[in-house]
Amino acid sequence: MRVFAAARAHGLPVWLHAGQLSDLHGVALAAAGTVAVLLPDAFYFMRETQVHPVEAFRRHWVPIAVATDCNPGTSPMISLLLAMNMGAKSFRLTVAECIAGVTREAARALGLWRETGSLEAGKWCDLAIWDAERPAELVYRIGFNPLHARVWRGR
Protein backbone atom coordinates (compact mmCIF):
# COMPACT_ATOMS: atom_id res chain seq x y z
CA MET A 1 0.00 0.00 0.00
CA ARG A 2 2.87 2.41 0.74
CA VAL A 3 4.28 1.78 -2.73
CA PHE A 4 0.95 2.80 -4.31
CA ALA A 5 0.74 5.93 -2.16
CA ALA A 6 4.32 6.91 -3.07
CA ALA A 7 3.65 6.35 -6.76
CA ARG A 8 0.52 8.51 -6.66
CA ALA A 9 2.36 11.21 -4.69
CA HIS A 10 4.82 11.42 -7.58
CA GLY A 11 2.11 11.49 -10.24
CA LEU A 12 2.70 7.92 -11.40
CA PRO A 13 -0.29 5.80 -12.39
CA VAL A 14 -0.90 2.61 -10.43
CA TRP A 15 -1.81 -0.63 -12.16
CA LEU A 16 -2.27 -3.89 -10.31
CA HIS A 17 -2.29 -7.30 -11.97
CA ALA A 18 -4.32 -9.22 -9.40
CA GLY A 19 -6.60 -12.20 -9.29
CA GLN A 20 -5.72 -13.92 -12.56
CA LEU A 21 -4.47 -17.21 -11.16
CA SER A 22 -5.81 -17.07 -7.61
CA ASP A 23 -7.79 -14.78 -5.34
CA LEU A 24 -5.25 -13.12 -3.08
CA HIS A 25 -7.64 -10.20 -2.45
CA GLY A 26 -5.37 -7.86 -4.38
CA VAL A 27 -8.32 -6.04 -5.88
CA ALA A 28 -9.27 -4.90 -2.39
CA LEU A 29 -6.25 -2.55 -2.59
CA ALA A 30 -7.73 -0.69 -5.53
CA ALA A 31 -9.77 2.44 -5.00
CA ALA A 32 -12.77 3.62 -7.00
CA GLY A 33 -11.95 3.83 -10.68
CA THR A 34 -10.78 0.24 -10.96
CA VAL A 35 -11.33 -1.46 -14.30
CA ALA A 36 -11.75 -5.24 -14.33
CA VAL A 37 -9.73 -6.60 -17.25
CA LEU A 38 -10.95 -10.00 -18.39
CA LEU A 39 -8.47 -12.24 -20.21
CA PRO A 40 -10.73 -14.92 -21.70
CA ASP A 41 -7.92 -16.46 -23.74
CA ALA A 42 -5.78 -16.97 -20.62
CA PHE A 43 -8.85 -18.48 -18.91
CA TYR A 44 -9.11 -20.96 -21.80
CA PHE A 45 -5.38 -21.62 -22.24
CA MET A 46 -4.78 -22.19 -18.51
CA ARG A 47 -7.91 -24.40 -18.29
CA GLU A 48 -9.31 -22.28 -15.49
CA THR A 49 -12.59 -23.37 -13.96
CA GLN A 50 -13.40 -20.49 -11.62
CA VAL A 51 -15.32 -17.93 -13.67
CA HIS A 52 -14.72 -14.25 -12.96
CA PRO A 53 -17.44 -12.48 -10.93
CA VAL A 54 -18.93 -10.65 -13.91
CA GLU A 55 -22.33 -10.29 -12.24
CA ALA A 56 -20.69 -8.59 -9.23
CA PHE A 57 -18.80 -6.25 -11.59
CA ARG A 58 -22.10 -5.32 -13.24
CA ARG A 59 -23.91 -4.91 -9.93
CA HIS A 60 -21.22 -2.55 -8.62
CA TRP A 61 -20.80 -0.66 -11.91
CA VAL A 62 -17.18 -1.78 -12.34
CA PRO A 63 -16.08 -1.13 -15.94
CA ILE A 64 -15.13 -4.35 -17.74
CA ALA A 65 -12.31 -4.39 -20.30
CA VAL A 66 -11.60 -7.39 -22.53
CA ALA A 67 -8.09 -8.12 -23.74
CA THR A 68 -5.81 -10.79 -25.07
CA ASP A 69 -3.14 -11.80 -22.62
CA CYS A 70 -0.75 -12.36 -25.55
CA ASN A 71 2.23 -13.91 -23.80
CA PRO A 72 3.93 -17.29 -24.04
CA GLY A 73 3.24 -18.20 -20.41
CA THR A 74 -0.53 -17.98 -20.10
CA SER A 75 -1.84 -17.26 -23.59
CA PRO A 76 -0.13 -16.95 -26.97
CA MET A 77 -3.30 -15.67 -28.67
CA ILE A 78 -3.31 -12.31 -30.51
CA SER A 79 -6.86 -12.16 -31.90
CA LEU A 80 -8.99 -9.49 -30.25
CA LEU A 81 -12.01 -10.79 -32.18
CA LEU A 82 -11.51 -14.23 -30.64
CA ALA A 83 -11.07 -12.65 -27.20
CA MET A 84 -14.48 -10.98 -27.64
CA ASN A 85 -16.01 -14.29 -28.70
CA MET A 86 -14.52 -16.05 -25.69
CA GLY A 87 -15.68 -13.23 -23.42
CA ALA A 88 -19.24 -13.72 -24.65
CA LYS A 89 -19.12 -17.50 -24.44
CA SER A 90 -17.05 -18.03 -21.28
CA PHE A 91 -18.23 -15.06 -19.21
CA ARG A 92 -21.62 -14.38 -20.80
CA LEU A 93 -20.73 -10.82 -21.75
CA THR A 94 -23.18 -9.11 -24.08
CA VAL A 95 -22.17 -7.89 -27.52
CA ALA A 96 -22.23 -4.31 -26.21
CA GLU A 97 -20.02 -5.27 -23.23
CA CYS A 98 -17.53 -7.03 -25.51
CA ILE A 99 -17.24 -4.10 -27.90
CA ALA A 100 -17.04 -1.52 -25.09
CA GLY A 101 -14.55 -3.83 -23.38
CA VAL A 102 -12.05 -3.69 -26.25
CA THR A 103 -12.54 0.03 -26.93
CA ARG A 104 -13.72 2.47 -24.27
CA GLU A 105 -13.03 0.31 -21.21
CA ALA A 106 -9.67 -0.89 -22.54
CA ALA A 107 -8.64 2.76 -22.96
CA ARG A 108 -9.88 3.43 -19.42
CA ALA A 109 -7.83 0.49 -18.07
CA LEU A 110 -4.72 1.91 -19.74
CA GLY A 111 -5.37 5.42 -18.49
CA LEU A 112 -5.93 6.66 -22.06
CA TRP A 113 -9.68 7.36 -21.97
CA ARG A 114 -9.15 11.09 -22.34
CA GLU A 115 -7.30 10.57 -25.64
CA THR A 116 -8.91 7.52 -27.25
CA GLY A 117 -11.39 4.66 -26.84
CA SER A 118 -14.55 6.38 -28.02
CA LEU A 119 -15.60 8.58 -30.90
CA GLU A 120 -15.59 12.09 -29.47
CA ALA A 121 -14.32 15.45 -30.64
CA GLY A 122 -10.71 15.99 -29.65
CA LYS A 123 -9.81 12.30 -29.28
CA TRP A 124 -7.44 10.36 -31.51
CA CYS A 125 -9.28 8.86 -34.42
CA ASP A 126 -8.27 5.24 -33.92
CA LEU A 127 -10.84 2.97 -35.49
CA ALA A 128 -11.42 -0.18 -37.46
CA ILE A 129 -13.90 -0.24 -40.33
CA TRP A 130 -15.45 -3.69 -40.44
CA ASP A 131 -17.22 -5.42 -43.30
CA ALA A 132 -20.07 -6.69 -41.13
CA GLU A 133 -23.82 -6.12 -41.17
CA ARG A 134 -24.25 -6.06 -37.38
CA PRO A 135 -21.88 -5.56 -34.41
CA ALA A 136 -22.83 -9.03 -33.15
CA GLU A 137 -20.92 -10.55 -36.09
CA LEU A 138 -17.67 -9.26 -34.59
CA VAL A 139 -18.36 -11.18 -31.39
CA TYR A 140 -20.08 -14.37 -32.47
CA ARG A 141 -18.34 -15.38 -35.69
CA ILE A 142 -15.12 -17.37 -35.30
CA GLY A 143 -12.13 -17.55 -37.61
CA PHE A 144 -12.79 -14.58 -39.83
CA ASN A 145 -11.34 -11.12 -40.08
CA PRO A 146 -13.80 -8.68 -41.67
CA LEU A 147 -11.41 -5.72 -41.38
CA HIS A 148 -12.00 -3.43 -44.35
CA ALA A 149 -9.76 -0.54 -43.30
CA ARG A 150 -8.00 0.87 -40.29
CA VAL A 151 -7.54 4.46 -39.18
CA TRP A 152 -4.80 5.16 -36.65
CA ARG A 153 -4.26 8.62 -35.21
CA GLY A 154 -6.47 10.07 -37.93
CA ARG A 155 -4.63 8.46 -40.86
Side-chain angles (χ1 to χ4, degrees), residues 3-153:
V3 172
F4 295 161
R8 285 196 176 127
H10 288 87
L12 299 173
V14 175
W15 281 279
L16 178 64
H17 186 118
Q20 179 181 353
L21 301 177
S22 62
D23 186 3
L24 299 176
H25 307 289
V27 288
L29 295 173
T34 296
V35 177
V37 180
L38 302 184
L39 306 169
D41 50 320
F43 179 82
Y44 168 81
F45 191 76
M46 299 294 294
R47 296 183 179 169
E48 291 291 324
T49 56
Q50 184 175 352
V51 179
H52 303 303
V54 172
E55 284 303 319
F57 296 152
R58 288 175 178 141
R59 200 170 40 254
H60 295 286
W61 298 96
V62 174
I64 301 170
V66 177
T68 69
D69 202 15
C70 194
N71 74 74
T74 58
S75 179
M77 188 180 83
I78 60 172
S79 172
L80 201 53
L81 290 173
L82 187 52
M84 287 195 297
N85 175 273
M86 291 176 156
K89 294 298 182 188
S90 298
F91 305 127
R92 300 190 188 280
L93 297 179
T94 66
V95 169
E97 286 172 326
C98 287
I99 292 172
V102 301
T103 56
R104 181 185 66 232
E105 305 311 345
R108 186 184 316 276
L110 293 170
L112 298 173
W113 71 95
R114 288 185 181 96
E115 295 92 21
T116 191
S118 59
L119 296 175
E120 297 177 56
K123 289 190 174 185
W124 299 334
C125 184
D126 296 343
L127 58 97
I129 301 169
W130 301 101
D131 184 13
E133 289 184 32
R134 295 174 301 283
E137 289 181 45
L138 301 176
V139 176
Y140 293 126
R141 292 184 64 191
I142 298 174
F144 86 124
N145 185 352
L147 185 63
H148 172 73
R150 175 184 85 127
V151 177
W152 187 70
R153 303 275 168 98

